[in-house]
Amino acid sequence: MYQSKIAGLGSYVPENVVTNDDLAKIMDTNDEWIQERTGIKERRHIKKGDGNTTAVMGVKAAKIAIERANISKDDIDLIVFATLSPDYYFPGGGVQVQEMLDIDTCPALDVRNQCSGFIYGLSVADQFIKTGMYENVLVIGSENHSGGLDFSTRGRGVSVIFGDGAGAAVLTRSDHNGQGILSTHLHSEGKHALELSLKGPSTLHWVPEIIAENPQGDDIPYYPYMNGQFVFKNAVVRFSEVIMEGLEANGLEVKDIDMLIPHQANLRISQFIQQKFKLSDDQVYNNIQKYGNTTAASIPIALTEAWENGKIKEGDTVVLAAFGSGFTWGSAIINW
């Protein structure tokens, strides 16, 4: 079987910076409350009229990744697009990206695994390359959360957390045995699906019905719901398990980790994992402080930044890990 490696990375976030103080002007919250619970200081939101959508941001990140991979857009054999906030209910963002990049008729598929979306997408791409079916796969994680959040005091527990942005990676066939993605590990536990969910709109319960039932109600199911403490407790357990699963599968130990990039869900979760594994600040990369939780985009944005800042070097053992709605979780072990 072949090996796949990340040949190019790119990211994009909107220019519009929304600070905690900005949110305090429109809901009952404050900077101290938000930072204490999440570690977030600011996030980026699409500004109406700036031209950004989930697909557009994905394309902007993808163009950077393709250029850095030193390939042409026409070399892309497959597009894998991960998001929970597509521009349309259907068709998916993958075909939009294919059209915007002016790629002929390459296949495009969408991954709907929320916070774990990029890890799942990476795993799909890795399998296609390992089996020899494709040589270059573009994996994108992109989210427009701000368009669907409740920016009132009622929604503050969720709305202060999320930001908009996109990240992308080009996976290509590696000529170096042992260099690249060593393994990926994926899990789900659907019995907790509604603990972090957006139940409508859906084809089973569409917008007119929802509005008719909740003209001014507090329980509005087309806004996200999160059982924060329950999610946190599950996250710290599953993060630890799936990281160890990946390390053990490759004969590695915690001390072998050169860089851990966790999904940027909550800085407190990342800090808990860092302390549990006794990793130094140089071994973990977090940027949730300035971008918030960008769901499927968070790992590729953080991975791109870490690489750009020289924190990832050739030969390093890089671990990616995510946990989120579904519940789904996963990890990827990479020899850079």
Side-chain angles (χ1 to χ4, degrees), residues 189-259:
E189 190 174 23
K191 70 180 180 180
H192 300 310
L194 298 185
E195 302 298 340
L196 177 50
S197 61
L198 195 158
K199 294 167 65 176
S202 76
T203 53
L204 298 178
H205 202 62
W206 203 234
V207 175
E209 297 168 281
I210 294 170
I211 294 175
E213 293 166 3
N214 300 277
Q216 294 177 327
D218 291 332
D219 182 21
I220 302 180
Y222 48 81
Y223 286 134
Y225 166 78
M226 179 171 65
N227 183 345
Q229 289 188 342
F230 187 78
V231 172
F232 187 100
K233 290 177 181 178
N234 277 266
V236 294
V237 172
R238 297 307 192 187
F239 261 110
S240 300
E241 288 178 352
V242 81
I243 290 169
M244 290 307 302
E245 179 185 2
L247 292 174
E248 291 169 2
N250 293 282
L252 299 171
E253 300 177 18
V254 170
K255 65 180 178 62
D256 296 314
I257 297 175
D258 295 300
M259 179 57 67

Side-chain angles (χ1 to χ4, degrees), residues 27 48 76 105 110 134 146 150 194-195 248 257 302 334:
M27 63 178 71
K48 205 162 189 177
I76 299 296
T105 59
D110 289 49
Y134 297 125
S146 63
D150 181 1
L194 298 185
E195 302 298 340
E248 291 169 2
I257 297 175
I334 305 170

Side-chain angles (χ1 to χ4, degrees), residues 9 68 302-313 336:
L9 291 166
R68 287 174 170 172
L303 180 61
T304 299
E305 271 199 353
W307 175 79
E308 289 173 342
N309 293 335
K311 295 183 177 293
I312 298 176
K313 304 175 295 296
W336 208 265

